[in-house]
Amino acid sequence: MHVSGNVAALIAAVGVVAGIAGVAIAWVAWVRVRRLREAQRMLIGGGRKDLVEFAVSLQGRIDDLHRAVDEIAAGLARVDRRVDTSVTNTAIVRYDAYEDTGGHQSASLALLDAARTGIVVTAIQGRDYARIYMKELERGKPSVALSPEEQEAVDRAMGR
């Protein structure tokens, strides 16, 4: 088979263009791979690990964080239980227990936790004497009937 000079020149030109296009595509691919490797190096901190090893170590750190959060949540639950059973609600009511005294010398003090459990301390001041009474409350139920002033102290302590 015989090819004319013009056809041979055309085939050669097409071959050169195809070669140049191939080199251009290879160069673009090389630049993209280089950028990808730089991004990968930046992601894993420049070490020699591969991306899978990095992902495994990252998952381990995330698992450690989950454990730490669970421990903190358990600690907060313990603190909440302790706070609920501590004296957090207090109130004092001052009053005149007897008509012949003045200056609100008598008082009832309520010391309660969140469940309305605690004590009410009452000091009755007379002209010649003073008396102190203590009454327990268990979930809002007094061991002995409360006076109106003591009940007012309990209601104030619980914000009612």
Side-chain angles (χ1 to χ4, degrees):
M1 172 162 130
H2 180 32
V3 179
S4 71
N6 287 341
V7 173
L10 182 64
I11 291 175
V14 169
V16 168
V17 170
I20 291 174
V23 168
I25 290 172
W27 182 77
V28 168
W30 180 79
V31 168
R32 285 187 177 177
V33 167
R34 193 169 139 230
R35 285 182 187 163
L36 180 65
R37 286 192 180 190
E38 286 175 13
Q40 185 182 24
R41 246 185 257 116
M42 186 180 297
L43 180 66
I44 62 175
R48 296 284 182 202
K49 298 180 184 178
D50 68 356
L51 201 52
V52 173
E53 289 176 35
F54 177 73
V56 168
S57 70
L58 188 60
Q59 183 62 47
R61 285 189 251 158
I62 290 171
D63 292 342
D64 291 344
L65 283 174
H66 282 291
R67 278 191 291 278
V69 167
D70 290 342
E71 289 174 12
I72 290 170
L76 283 175
R78 287 190 303 272
V79 168
D80 284 346
R81 284 192 301 274
R82 288 179 60 194
V83 166
D84 285 343
T85 59
S86 65
V87 174
T88 55
N89 302 308
T90 61
I92 188 166
V93 174
R94 298 181 60 91
Y95 55 94
D96 290 325
Y98 302 106
E99 291 180 20
D100 61 339
T101 61
H104 296 296
Q105 296 299 313
S106 299
S108 291
L109 170 67
L111 303 167
L112 307 170
D113 65 9
R116 296 179 65 109
T117 298
I119 61 171
V120 177
V121 179
T122 299
I124 304 290
Q125 180 69 36
R127 190 173 287 272
D128 309 358
Y129 63 90
R131 292 196 176 128
I132 298 176
Y133 302 96
M134 296 181 79
K135 298 178 182 176
E136 293 179 278
L137 271 79
E138 183 69 33
R139 299 204 178 275
K141 305 286 187 227
S143 58
V144 179
L146 299 177
S147 70
E149 294 83 9
E150 292 168 331
Q151 186 62 51
E152 181 181 350
V154 169
D155 291 343
R156 282 187 189 179
M158 296 311 294
R160 296 181 187 177

